């Protein structure tokens, strides 16, 4: 094994195990470091690798949802995560859910049984030499965080404050109006959802009574000054939101010719203008109550949420500033980053990120060029987004169809997702053939 090309991976979670498997399957010797059972993060409990710290669901299976497509792609690409998921499934309607104990045990056995993977149970406190994949997750140990600081500077965050995002095609453009405050800025940058007094007061009342997600024990001490949950602002007094994120001053509704009583502002989220976020609406409301309450906002009655809001402990870097779409650090290309630490959000997305980092670290170890999947695929759309998004407002992201490049022609809203999935499948299969034939580096270069 000593004559083989080799890499080191930090973290035996979803991304680290997937990366290790992909690299080893490509003939590269892998040393995988996992700090459990010597040290546990506040959320991990089991000795097994690839532990699911919360839900046992990998979300929907239908191609109507981009996470369904991402799972199909991972299966087609020979992902360890999907192999273990399919082998340990439990009934869950339209979702893929697993027996969490069997799932993690299965991955642990496969990793331990692979002749090219050496599992070392220790905490990494220095970034090793050679080619390294850092996949230590949203609860990376403190000592390693210290070692990351010289590499990432101020572009390292410990909490995310996520505001919901809605699909542009689900916004009622007859109700919202485009305007920037006092007409300032580059044109009319915001979409404004106007509210009258009655609508505003009803909305605030619902925010106060809506069901909230309880913080975990290790999150309780945190103060979110500067990124307060919208319902906490609402609890400070009926007018607080009107002087905060729902401030109407300087905004004239062209239909009434007057300033509304309050507004919710929507800011464009991506270059293609297929998604808009609700400015300042980070929240700890439960997902069902977010859907119910935010659809009370005029113009958002039919909103489709491509991401819902949240606030939780989450170590992640500013990937668009620090990483290339191959998942390498711009400042030190021998280092790769994978999983939730890169700013992808979710189990499936973390494994997908591990897949790409593992493939690319092994290519580099073998003296070949790292690759980027086509951006028309779910894997490519996610990786390209997190490494090219706006550096100033970067927040973790789930995979969703809003990230995909638009279709060339016009398509009815109902048919669009099917067509995006079909295009993704065609491009994925071509890319997979090139990857297997060793020519995918050229595809990557074009992306
Ligand atoms: C509390 C919480 C709940 C979540 N719930 C969900 C959910 O329900 N659904 C969902 O889709 N996503 C959820 N997520 C988000 C995310 O999908 C998971 O955290 C996912 O496990 C991330 O995968 P990962 O491989 O990046 O990190 P992890 O799976 O956390 O793996 C990282 C591994 O690195 C190890 N490690 C850390 N530091 C070191 C070190 N210095 N040396 C060696 N090893 C180290 C850790 O022990 C861990 O095993 C949750 C996140 C958190 C924090």
């Amino acid at each position: 094994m000593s004559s083989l090309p080799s890499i080191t991976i930090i973290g035996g979670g979803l991304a680290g195990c997937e990366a290790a498997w992909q690299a080893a399957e490509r003939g590269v010797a892998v040393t995988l470091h996992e700090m459990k059972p010597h040290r546990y993060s506040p959320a991990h409990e089991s000795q097994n690798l690839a532990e699911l710290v919360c839900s046992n669901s990998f979300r929907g299976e239908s191609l109507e949802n981009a996470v369904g497509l991402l799972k199909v792609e991972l299966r087609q690409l020979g992902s360890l995560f999907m192999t273990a998921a399919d082998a340990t499934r439990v009934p869950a309607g339209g979702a893929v859910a697993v027996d969490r104990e069997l799932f993690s045990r299965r991955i642990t056995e496969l990793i331990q049984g692979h002749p090219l993977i050496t599992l070392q149970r220790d905490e990494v406190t220095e970034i090793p030499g050679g080619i390294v994949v850092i996949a230590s997750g949203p609860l990376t140990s403190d000592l390693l965080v210290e070692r990351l600081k010289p590499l990432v500077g101020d572009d390292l965050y410990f909490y995310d404050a996520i505001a919901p995002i809605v699909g542009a095609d689900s916004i009622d453009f007859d109700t919202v109006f485009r305007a920037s405050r006092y007409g300032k800025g580059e044109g009319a940058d915001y979409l404004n959802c106007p509210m009258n007094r009655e609508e505003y007061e009803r909305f605030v009342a619902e925010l106060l009574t809506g069901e909230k997600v309880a913080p975990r024990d290790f999150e309780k001490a945190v103060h979110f000054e500067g990124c307060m949950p919208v319902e906490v602002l609402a609890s400070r007094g009926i007018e607080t939101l009107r002087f905060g994120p729902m401030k109407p001053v300087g905004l004239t509704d062209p239909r009434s010719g007057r300033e509304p009583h309050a507004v919710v502002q929507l800011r464009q989220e991506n270059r293609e203008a297929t998604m808009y976020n609700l400015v300042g609406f980070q929240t700890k409301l439960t997902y069902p109550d977010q859907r119910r309450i935010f659809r009370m906002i005029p113009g958002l009655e039919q909103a489709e949420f491509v991401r819902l809001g949240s606030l939780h402990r989450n170590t992640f870097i500013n990937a668009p500033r620090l990483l290339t779409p191959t998942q390498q650090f711009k400042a030190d290309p021998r280092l790769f980053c994978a999983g939730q630490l890169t700013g992808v959000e979710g189990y499936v997305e973390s494994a997908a990120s591990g897949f790409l980092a593992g493939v690319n670290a092994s290519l580099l170890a073998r003296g070949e060029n790292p690759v980027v999947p086509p951006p028309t695929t779910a894997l490519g759309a996610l990786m390209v987004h997190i490494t090219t998004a706006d550096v100033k407002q970067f927040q973790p992201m789930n995979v969703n169809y809003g990230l995909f490049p638009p279709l060339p022609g016009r398509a009815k809203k109902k048919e669009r997702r099917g067509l995006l999935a079909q295009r993704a499948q065609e491009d994925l299969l071509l890319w997979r053939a090139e990857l297997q034939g060793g020519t995918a580096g050229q595809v990557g270069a074009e992306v």
Side-chain angles (χ1 to χ4, degrees), residues 116 293 317 320 344 430 434:
L116 292 189
I293 296 171
I317 61 171
V344 296
L430 277 178
E434 286 159 0

Side-chain angles (χ1 to χ4, degrees), residues 11 13-15 34-35 44 54-55 124 136-138 141 144 339-340 346-347 350:
L14 299 176
E34 168 51 54
M35 68 176 181
H44 288 83
C54 189
S55 155
V124 174
S136 43
S141 76
L144 184 56
Q340 189 97 354
Y347 295 148
S350 295

Side-chain angles (χ1 to χ4, degrees), residues 48-62:
N48 287 329
L49 303 175
E51 181 178 349
L52 305 177
V53 288
C54 189
S55 155
N56 66 332
S57 167
F58 299 150
R59 306 180 354 251
E61 188 150 46
S62 155

Side-chain angles (χ1 to χ4, degrees), residues 23-39:
E25 286 288 283
R26 285 166 175 77
V28 169
V30 177
T31 304
L32 174 62
H33 294 270
E34 168 51 54
M35 68 176 181
K36 299 187 301 180
H38 305 298
R39 190 177 286 278

Side-chain angles (χ1 to χ4, degrees), residues 99 167 289 391:
D99 177 317
D289 267 12
V391 294

Side-chain angles (χ1 to χ4, degrees), residues 1 5-9 19-21 23-24 28-32 116-119:
M1 215 154 109
S6 64
I7 65 167
T8 304
I9 297 178
W21 187 259
V28 169
V30 177
T31 304
L32 174 62
L116 292 189
I117 302 177
T118 306
L119 176 61

